[in-house]
Amino acid sequence: MDRVTAILKDPLLLAALAVLALLGLGELLSPGFARGDQIVRLLTVAAILGIVAAGQNLVILGGREGIDLSVGAVISLGAVIAGNVMSGDDAMILPALLAAGGVGFLVGIVNGLGVTVVRIPPLVMTLGMMGVVQGALVVLSRGVPSGNAAPALMAFVNQPLVAGIPGILFVWAAIAVLMAFVLRRTLFGWSVYAIGANERAAVLTGLPAGRIRTILYGLSGLFAGITGVCVIGYTGNSFISVGDQYVLPSVIAVVIGGTSLAGGSGSYTGTILGAIALVLLQSVLTTLQMEFWSRQVIFGATLLLLMLLYGRQARLRV
Amino acid sequence: MPDAPDALTATGVTKRFGAVVALSDARLRVGRGEVHALLGANGCGKSTLCKIIAGTVARDSGDIRVDGEARPLASPRAAEAAGIAIFYQELSLVPQLTVAENIHLGHEPRGAGGFVDRTARDESTDHLIGRFAGVAGDTFSAKTRVADLSPDQRQITEILKVLARRPRLIIFDEATAALDRRQVDVFFSIVRDLRAEGVSSIFISHRLDEVFAVADRITVMRNGETVGDFAVAETDPEAIVREMVGDVRLGPRPGKRPAAGGEPRLVVDGVGGGRLKDVRFTARKGEILGLGGLQGQGQKRLLAGLFGAEPFTSGAVLLDGAPVAPRRPADAIRAGFGLVSGDRGRDAAFPGRSILENAAMASLVREKAHLILARRLSARFDRMLAGLKTRYAGLGAPIGSLSGGNQQKIFIARWLAARPLVLLLDDPTKGIDLGAKADFFAIIRALAETGTTVLIYSSEDADLLSLCQRVLVFNGGRITADLSGPALDAVGLTRAAYGEAA
C-alpha cells in the first residue's frame, strides 16, 4: 500500500505508467498500434504538442497563476506567417522560422508586460491576447487560407531523416536537452523556480522577478511561433484556427507531467511524458472511433481529474 | 467592593501556543468607568490577554467576569454581546468602502423593509466625525472612501468604528500610534467623556507620559503573568519601569571589545518614510548595532528602507562614504547589504526547492554566476553549513524538511556566502529554539569580528542585551535613545522604549 502511494506521489513515474498502459490498451484494441512506425508517427504528433508545451511549462513554473491561453492563436499566426514567407520555397524555410518565432516572441513579451507591469491576471491577459491575434488573423487574411509549406520542411516533419526517425524528433530532443540544462544548470532556470515558489523571497534575494516573468511569456510565444512552423510542415498548408486545438492539451501535458499549477515545482521531462501520454490517449480514443467533441470531453475531464488528484496533496509549506 | 461590580475581572488566565507559554497567570481588574493601562515589555502577554478578552483567542483556563457575570467569551460576537469592543492596532478597515460603511459594517441601521437606511447611517457617522472636528482634516466625511484617507484619518475611523458600537468596555491597543499631538488630545478628551458616561477602557500605549496623563490605574505584566496593579496617583514612571523589568540577571554579555572601535561604515542621515521620521545614526565596521523599543515603532521600516524593499522618502544613506539609495532589494544587495528576516515563510523560503537552491541564491545573484557548477557549489555550501552546525540529510533535500532553527541557519548561510558589508537582521530569532539561538549568536559575533556591520532588530530585549554593545531605541518612528555602556541594561531599554528620558 505504501508503495502504491509512493508511486501516486511521483508524477514522473505516474506519467510513465500512463504511457505504458495506454500503449498496451491501444495494442489490445487494435493490434499493430504499438508497432515501431506507428510509434514514430505518434511521437511526431507528440513533438508538436511538446514544443508548445515547453513554453506553457515555463510560464506555469514561474508561478503567480501563470498560464498562456494565447498559444493556440500564436501557433495559427506562426503557421500563416511561415506559409506566406515560404510560399513553397525551400530557401525561405529559415526566414520563415525566424519570422514566425520572432513575432511569437513579441506577442509573448506583450503578454509578459501586461502581466508584470500592468498586473493583469495571466488568464485574462492571455485570453485577451488570444482574441486580438485571432481577430487580426481574420482581418489580415480576409479569412482566406494563404501560403503553403516548403517541400523540404514537410519532409523534415513527416519523412524519416536518420534511422527511420523524422527530423522534428531531433529538434524536440534538442529542445528537451536545452530545457533541462537551462532549468537545472543556469541561474535563470533556478530563478524561474524561485519566483514560482515564493516571489517575495525571490525579490528579497535580488532576483528581477518581473523581468524574468516577462521573458518566460516571451519564450512561450517563441515556442508557439515555432510550433506554428511545425504545424504547417505537418499539414502542408495553414488555416487561421489551426492552433486552437493545442491550447487545452498544452496545459494538460504540463499538469500530467507533474508541474504544479501553483508554480515553483516540476520539470520539462515530465511534460514530455505528459505530451506523449496525451497523444496516446487521443489515438486510443480515435481507435475507439470517438469523435472530436467527445474527445474534448475526455480531455477536459482528464485535466480536472488531475487537479483533483494533485490538489489533494498537502500544500507545500515551509 | 462597594455597590457596582467591576466592569471586568480576569483571574488566573493561562494560554499556551504549542510549546510557548504566552500567559501563565494573568490577572486584570477594571472598575466601572475606569481608564486602565496595561503595560509590559515585548512578549509579556498583554496583547494575548486583550485578544482573549475580545474573544479572538480562546483561553486555556482562568475566570473572566464582565459586570460580575462569568463569561466564556468564546467568540468576537460573544465579547461584543457582553459589551466589549477592541480597537485593532493592525487596521481592520475595508479600503473600498466609505467611512460610514466601514463604521457600521455588520451593524447597519435598518429602515422600512429591512433595507440599509443610508441617510441615518451617514448622519450618525458625520455626528461621530464631529467629535474630531477641527483636527481630522477637511476631506474627512461619511462618504469618503477609506482608500483615500491619510493614515491618521484611518486610525480615527477605526476609533469611531469602536465608539459606534456603544460598548461598555473598550480595549485601545496602540490607538494613538498614528495620531498627531492635537489628535491625541482630542482622543484623550473622548476617553475622559466615556469615563464620565461609565464606559471603561483598557489602554495599551508605548508612551508612559500618555499613560500617566489619561489612566486611573495601571496593571503591569511580565513573562506572561500579572505582577502588580497600581493607582496612577500613588506611583511614578520610575517605579512602573522597575516593575516591568523585574529582578533581571543579565545574560552573558559580549566580551569587552572596544565598543564601536572601527571606522564608520553606514551613515544614516535623517531618513524618513511611513511612520519613520528623521532617523540618523552611524554604524561602524564590526559593530553589532541593536534596534530596540516596543514592537512596531519603525524598526522594521528602517531595515526595509535600507534594503530597498520600501525605499525611504527622505534623507540620505552613506555606505563607506558613498551615497546609496536603493529603489529595490537588488540595488541594496549590489551595494553590499543582506537581510535575514524572522518571517522565513514569507520573506526567505523557496518552499519545495532544495536546501542548496535556498542557500545559494543570493551569492549566485551577487556573483552573477549564470552557469551553475553544481558540484563546486555543493562542496562550498556543505563546508559552510558544517561550520554553522546545521543538521540536514543532504543539500538536495527540500528546505521544508528542516526545523525552524536549521532553516534560519540556511538563510544566514545564504547571506554569509554573499559577503555583505552590512547585514540587516529583522527579528531573526523568531520561532527558533534556544540551542539554535546560541549558535546563531555565535555566528553573528564571528561575522562582526571580520568587520561586517550588523544591524539587528529583535522583539526580545534579551537578544539585544546579549548581542549588542549599543542599542538605538525607537518610539513612534524616531530614535529616542542611544544606549551603550552602563546605560544599556534591561531597565534602561524598557524605560527608553516607553519614551522616558534615559
Side-chain angles (χ1 to χ4, degrees):
Chain A
M1 205 58 218
D2 277 354
R3 200 173 299 165
V4 174
T5 38
I7 290 171
L8 281 175
K9 275 187 179 158
D10 184 348
L12 275 185
L13 210 55
L14 207 59
L17 282 177
V19 168
L20 291 178
L22 285 164
L23 263 181
L25 184 63
E27 182 66 31
L28 210 66
L29 291 169
S30 150
F33 183 90
R35 228 172 41 216
D37 60 330
Q38 282 298 318
I39 288 179
V40 166
R41 242 180 44 80
L42 285 170
L43 284 177
T44 303
V45 179
I48 297 174
L49 175 58
I51 294 170
V52 62
Q56 193 70 267
N57 202 168
L58 290 173
V59 165
I60 292 175
L61 278 180
R64 224 170 70 198
E65 313 280 299
I67 195 162
D68 187 350
L69 296 183
S70 69
V71 288
V74 175
I75 290 172
S76 306
L77 181 66
V80 168
I81 290 175
N84 281 293
V85 172
M86 284 185 287
S87 295
D89 180 358
D90 283 350
M92 294 305 283
I93 292 178
L94 196 63
L97 190 67
L98 290 175
V103 171
F105 182 72
L106 289 180
V107 171
I109 290 290
V110 175
N111 276 332
L113 292 174
V115 167
T116 56
V117 178
V118 196
R119 299 202 158 251
I120 303 169
L123 199 76
V124 178
M125 179 68 217
T126 58
L127 191 65
M129 183 57 82
M130 173 173 117
V132 169
V133 172
Q134 277 175 340
L137 268 173
V138 173
V139 171
L140 292 177
S141 69
R142 296 187 201 84
V144 185
S146 64
N148 52 323
L153 178 67
M154 292 187 66
F156 188 79
V157 174
N158 291 305
Q159 311 287 315
L161 186 72
V162 180
I165 297 167
I168 189 171
L169 286 183
F170 292 103
V171 171
W172 193 22
I175 289 175
V177 171
L178 198 67
M179 285 282 289
F181 174 77
V182 168
L183 287 175
R184 290 187 202 165
R185 288 287 174 265
T186 68
L187 177 55
F188 179 79
W190 283 27
S191 307
V192 172
Y193 286 115
I195 65 169
N198 183 348
E199 175 161 2
R200 183 183 164 88
V203 170
L204 288 176
T205 316
L207 292 174
R211 202 187 312 159
I212 292 166
R213 183 165 286 116
T214 305
I215 292 172
L216 293 181
Y217 280 92
L219 291 175
S220 178
L222 173 68
F223 278 119
I226 293 173
T227 306
V229 180
C230 298
V231 166
I232 194 173
Y234 185 69
T235 57
N237 45 35
S238 65
F239 54 98
I240 54 175
S241 60
V242 66
D244 292 0
Q245 53 178 318
Y246 291 96
V247 181
L248 186 58
S250 73
V251 177
I252 304 177
V254 172
V255 174
I256 294 180
T259 295
S260 155
L261 276 183
S265 89
S267 69
Y268 185 59
T269 317
T271 300
I272 291 173
L273 289 171
I276 295 173
L278 207 54
V279 169
L280 279 170
L281 176 66
Q282 185 164 5
S283 189
V284 166
L285 296 178
T286 312
T287 306
L288 289 171
Q289 295 184 326
M290 193 179 269
E291 40 128 359
F292 176 77
W293 290 110
S294 308
R295 295 204 306 257
Q296 288 296 106
V297 172
I298 300 277
F299 280 9
T302 305
L303 178 62
L304 297 180
L305 190 73
L306 285 167
M307 296 319 304
L308 196 72
L309 197 69
Y310 295 146
R312 289 173 68 85
Q313 289 181 5
R315 286 283 300 146
L316 297 167
R317 71 181 98 233
V318 185
Chain B
M1 290 309 297
D3 36 13
D6 287 323
L8 180 99
T9 47
T11 46
V13 178
T14 66
K15 178 68 194 177
R16 282 169 159 276
F17 294 104
V20 180
V21 180
L23 294 177
S24 53
D25 177 21
R27 283 170 286 120
L28 179 63
R29 214 183 72 207
V30 182
R32 172 65 36 219
E34 179 179 280
V35 179
H36 196 107
L38 190 55
L39 298 181
N42 287 330
C44 69
K46 56 185 191 286
S47 290
T48 305
L49 179 59
C50 286
K51 284 177 186 158
I52 287 172
I53 295 170
T56 56
V57 167
R59 61 186 184 266
D60 294 339
S61 65
D63 181 60
I64 296 182
R65 286 164 192 278
V66 180
D67 295 324
E69 211 179 304
R71 295 273 190 172
L73 300 176
S75 70
R77 281 274 168 197
E80 211 177 288
I84 298 169
I86 186 165
F87 167 89
Y88 283 102
Q89 188 182 340
E90 58 271 22
L91 299 169
S92 69
L93 303 176
V94 185
Q96 293 86 349
L97 300 183
T98 67
V99 171
E101 284 164 344
N102 264 290
I103 286 178
H104 292 95
L105 196 61
H107 304 76
E108 292 83 359
R110 303 279 168 179
F115 293 104
V116 174
D117 185 345
R118 291 172 186 232
T119 318
R121 183 187 65 196
D122 291 356
E123 273 172 8
S124 82
T125 303
D126 278 326
H127 183 71
L128 280 168
I129 291 176
R131 294 192 118 159
F132 278 90
V135 297
D138 303 333
T139 58
F140 191 32
S141 81
K143 292 195 174 73
T144 316
R145 266 175 15 121
V146 164
D148 300 330
L149 297 180
S150 61
D152 55 320
Q153 290 172 332
R154 287 183 196 208
Q155 188 139 16
I156 290 172
T157 307
E158 195 83 41
I159 292 170
L160 298 179
K161 184 175 165 184
V162 170
L163 297 184
R165 306 276 192 274
R166 304 193 169 281
R168 295 161 53 72
L169 173 67
I170 309 179
I171 303 168
F172 289 110
D173 186 354
E174 294 276 10
T176 60
L179 303 186
D180 68 27
R181 203 61 244 168
R182 290 179 314 145
Q183 291 165 336
V184 168
D185 289 341
V186 172
F187 171 68
F188 282 175
S189 74
I190 291 173
V191 170
R192 291 194 192 96
D193 290 349
L194 290 170
R195 172 166 60 188
E197 294 163 22
V199 178
S200 313
S201 326
I202 297 172
F203 192 75
I204 293 181
S205 167
H206 63 272
R207 299 196 56 93
L208 264 190
D209 57 348
E210 285 186 356
V211 167
F212 275 82
V214 75
D216 303 308
R217 296 184 70 81
I218 297 172
T219 286
V220 175
M221 293 185 66
R222 191 198 313 146
N223 298 330
E225 56 186 304
T226 299
V227 294
D229 180 351
F230 309 89
V232 165
E234 293 160 15
T235 187
D236 60 67
E238 193 59 40
I240 293 294
V241 168
R242 297 262 161 219
E243 289 295 333
M244 283 194 264
V245 176
D247 176 25
V248 280
R249 252 172 293 275
L250 291 178
R253 291 296 295 274
K256 284 290 157 217
R257 280 192 289 137
E263 310 155 37
R265 161 147 285 160
L266 180 70
V267 178
V268 173
D269 188 11
V271 297
R275 55 179 324 203
L276 212 58
K277 291 173 210 86
D278 194 34
V279 166
R280 53 186 77 235
F281 63 89
T282 300
R284 295 172 180 281
K285 284 185 184 164
E287 184 176 8
I288 305 177
L289 180 60
L291 311 176
L294 293 173
Q295 293 178 33
Q297 303 303 314
Q299 303 97 329
K300 282 171 174 282
R301 182 68 184 79
L302 174 68
L303 296 177
L306 288 172
F307 199 59
E310 291 173 66
F312 297 125
T313 51
S314 60
V317 177
L318 299 178
L319 182 63
D320 286 336
V324 282
R327 307 306 301 171
R328 55 182 66 84
D331 301 341
I333 291 163
R334 212 169 300 124
F337 288 91
L339 174 88
V340 177
S341 164
D343 196 340
R344 296 178 290 278
R346 190 185 64 152
D347 296 338
F350 301 123
R353 307 311 307 169
S354 69
I355 293 172
L356 182 63
E357 280 171 78
N358 272 280
M361 200 54 88
S363 42
L364 293 174
V365 171
R366 187 129 199 248
E367 292 156 18
K368 295 189 165 53
H370 289 290
L371 201 66
I372 289 167
L373 306 167
R375 201 162 304 158
R376 193 186 297 176
L377 197 65
S378 297
R380 175 175 164 193
F381 278 92
D382 268 327
R383 212 159 43 238
M384 170 162 241
L385 292 176
L388 303 185
K389 294 199 255 173
T390 317
R391 268 183 299 253
Y392 58 98
L395 286 176
I399 185 76
S401 65
L402 300 181
S403 69
N406 277 315
Q407 277 186 30
Q408 193 63 306
K409 287 182 188 170
I410 302 297
F411 301 128
I412 290 163
R414 173 188 284 179
W415 290 107
L416 293 189
R419 302 184 187 287
L421 302 173
V422 178
L423 185 62
L424 310 170
L425 304 174
D426 183 357
D427 212 356
T429 59
K430 209 162 80 180
I432 71 177
D433 61 86
L434 286 175
K437 198 185 243 192
D439 291 346
F440 171 76
F441 285 174
I443 294 165
I444 297 304
R445 286 198 192 100
L447 182 68
E449 295 285 347
T450 67
T452 305
T453 301
V454 178
L455 259 63
I456 174 172
Y457 161 67
S458 174
S459 56
E460 288 186 43
D461 288 352
D463 287 359
L464 300 180
L465 289 172
S466 59
L467 210 49
C468 309
Q469 272 96 21
R470 183 174 156 228
V471 175
L472 307 173
V473 181
F474 283 71
N475 188 309
R478 295 173 192 277
I479 295 175
T480 51
D482 182 340
L483 302 177
S484 58
L488 179 55
D489 59 15
V491 176
L493 266 184
T494 304
R495 188 194 286 139
Y498 273 95
E500 289 293 296

